[in-house]
Amino acid sequence: IDDLTQEGKFIDYCLVGEASSSNIVGDTLRRGRRGSLTGYLKVIGKQGHVAYPKKVINPIHLSGKVIRILSEEVWDEGNEFFEPTSFQISNISKNKVKKFEKNLCKFTGAKYCITTNSASTALFLSIKTILINEKKVNNYCYISPNTYAATANCALLNNLKVKFIDIDKSLNMSPKKLEYELKKRKKNKNKTIIILTHFAGNPCDLKIFKNLAKKYNLIIVEDASHALGSVYEKNMIGNPKFSYFVVTSFHPVKTITTAEGGAIFTNSKFNYELLKTLRSNGVIKKSFFQKKYNDQIHSSLNFRLSDVHSAIGLSQLKKIKKFVIYRNKIASFYKKNIRNSNVFFPINTDKS
């Protein structure tokens, strides 16, 4: 802060201070004070003009230099005053998250999308939502052993036991082995959750699993952490045509990245609203006689994805087709040049 002050950087930037502060630059920045959680936004233009907009709730307290980097340009030369940008502690603005979710829906064909801070938490929220919605669900869950620990943990943390169903040559769960297991179990009318992992981006044969779901009362959740950008029967993976939820990951090794993050896709507005509540500590905002308050509906935690991460995701999503082509090119090279009887490649389940 002292270094920036000496450089005389502050006059051209958007600064946030305490509601009672008469000297925003001095109180908030030069002395390093954080200020209160409720304040006013002050914009100082290049010509020294000052704009005081409406009250800002939960302003973020950063140095002017950092705000300049993270925000859009806040001074339009030629205009003496204009509507400045507000900054909040949890999200600099909520536009990037909503825009990223909207673009993901457009790409996959899903009706609704909820971003989260990881695919692990997205899986956890998916199972929790199902258990809230569905009254009679068995206390166990079917998953593939060829998956990441989070697939099992999301069930265990929701008090479900895990039952592994072995894989076939696709390296995904075998539908034949699943049906064999389903035939052996005791008959009951309860629903059972099954998590299908699309290993290495190779989709499970979803039509077969959908038929088994109808026959044996299964609830399908797709763990598509590897598979954003993959296609099954001319449908983009992410479109929950065959399942209750589809979960994907934005970890750095996945098709696209937000540095860290995940998403849940659904075609149900009810599930979408419930997921939004669970993503934000299980709290919803209400009003009573013009007074706003928070109502605790479910026990949960903060699983939100930030605007900064979403901004990275928006940039990455524009390049996803190129990324998929490049990854397939590498895979084709391996298939062509690795000639070893002990090495085999997964069978592609997509016939489209």
Side-chain angles (χ1 to χ4, degrees):
I1 289 172
D2 290 338
D3 290 341
L4 288 171
T5 305
Q6 290 174 10
E7 293 174 19
K9 294 287 185 180
F10 294 127
I11 193 67
D12 291 338
Y13 299 101
C14 174
L15 310 173
V16 182
E18 295 180 3
S20 59
S21 174
S22 60
N23 187 339
I24 294 177
V25 177
D27 286 353
T28 306
L29 295 173
R30 289 187 183 145
R31 298 179 192 174
R33 289 172 60 183
R34 286 185 56 80
S36 63
L37 291 181
T38 303
Y40 289 88
L41 187 66
K42 180 178 180 180
V43 177
I44 303 179
K46 292 182 179 179
Q47 306 301 320
H49 299 298
V50 179
Y52 292 94
K54 294 179 180 179
K55 193 175 183 181
V56 176
I57 304 299
N58 294 335
I60 188 167
H61 294 273
L62 297 173
S63 70
K65 191 172 185 179
V66 175
I67 291 177
R68 177 65 174 269
I69 293 169
L70 294 178
S71 69
E72 298 176 358
E73 188 69 43
V74 296
W75 183 256
D76 182 9
E77 291 193 58
N79 294 327
E80 186 174 357
F81 296 98
F82 77 107
E83 189 69 21
T85 307
S86 65
F87 302 94
Q88 295 191 357
I89 288 174
S90 58
N91 298 86
I92 296 166
S93 73
K94 294 183 179 178
N95 296 334
K96 292 291 187 292
V97 172
K98 289 181 179 179
K99 187 175 180 181
F100 185 40
E101 291 172 345
K102 183 179 178 180
N103 287 6
L104 284 167
C105 286
K106 187 176 179 181
F107 177 75
T108 60
K111 290 183 179 180
Y112 305 100
C113 173
I114 286 285
T115 51
T116 60
N117 51 21
S118 73
S120 301
T121 56
L123 283 167
F124 173 80
L125 288 179
S126 297
I127 303 303
K128 187 177 180 71
T129 300
I130 292 169
L131 294 175
I132 291 171
N133 282 345
E134 305 294 337
K135 293 181 180 179
K136 294 183 179 180
V137 180
N138 285 320
N139 66 344
Y140 55 87
C141 174
Y142 293 118
I143 70 169
S144 162
N146 190 28
T147 188
Y148 186 58
T151 315
N153 288 337
C154 73
L156 296 171
L157 290 169
N158 279 293
N159 298 315
L160 297 178
K161 296 176 182 177
V162 170
K163 292 191 176 185
F164 292 107
I165 305 297
D166 210 351
I167 60 175
D168 56 23
K169 289 185 178 180
S170 69
L171 300 186
N172 294 325
M173 183 187 291
S174 167
K176 291 182 179 179
K177 291 176 181 178
L178 173 64
E179 186 164 25
Y180 176 77
E181 180 67 26
L182 292 169
K183 286 179 178 178
K184 285 197 312 179
R185 70 179 185 175
K186 293 180 180 179
K187 291 183 179 181
N188 66 64
K189 294 182 180 180
N190 293 350
K191 295 178 180 179
T192 308
I193 298 171
I194 176 172
I195 305 176
L196 300 177
T197 300
H198 302 311
F199 185 76
N202 186 29
C204 297
D205 202 334
L206 292 168
K207 274 190 175 180
I208 295 176
F209 283 105
K210 183 70 172 179
N211 290 333
L212 289 174
K214 291 178 181 178
K215 186 176 180 181
Y216 294 100
N217 212 10
L218 305 176
I219 299 173
I220 297 174
V221 175
E222 297 176 54
D223 180 358
S225 295
H226 294 180
L228 188 67
S230 297
V231 178
Y232 176 81
E233 297 284 340
K234 298 182 180 179
N235 290 288
M236 295 299 298
I237 293 296
N239 185 338
K241 180 180 179 180
F242 300 96
S243 57
Y244 204 97
F245 291 125
V246 183
V247 170
T248 196
S249 171
F250 306 126
H251 182 273
V253 302
K254 303 305 191 295
T255 316
I256 65 170
T257 184
T258 58
E260 189 64 89
I264 309 167
F265 299 97
T266 178
N267 284 338
S268 165
K269 186 176 182 181
F270 179 83
N271 287 336
Y272 168 72
E273 294 296 337
L274 179 54
L275 284 166
K276 274 206 305 185
T277 302
L278 294 173
R279 180 179 63 173
S280 296
N281 301 91
V283 171
I284 61 173
K285 294 180 179 179
K286 291 184 176 181
S287 59
F288 184 73
F289 288 103
Q290 298 181 342
K291 288 188 177 182
K292 294 181 180 180
Y293 68 97
N294 292 331
D295 195 1
Q296 184 78 53
I297 304 300
H298 301 285
S299 59
S300 192
L301 297 169
N302 176 5
F303 297 116
R304 293 188 299 270
L305 187 70
S306 76
D307 260 294
V308 176
H309 292 90
S310 297
I312 298 170
L314 283 166
S315 174
Q316 288 270 298
L317 191 56
K318 293 175 184 178
K319 307 169 189 174
I320 189 169
K321 291 182 180 178
K322 291 181 180 179
F323 292 160
V324 171
I325 290 170
Y326 185 66
R327 283 170 177 256
N328 285 333
K329 186 178 179 181
I330 295 171
S332 297
F333 178 85
Y334 285 145
K335 288 178 181 179
K336 183 179 178 181
N337 292 282
I338 296 177
R339 296 168 186 172
N340 187 320
S341 59
N342 294 319
V343 177
F344 75 93
F345 294 92
I347 296 170
N348 190 350
T349 52
D350 181 33
K351 307 298 190 298
S352 61

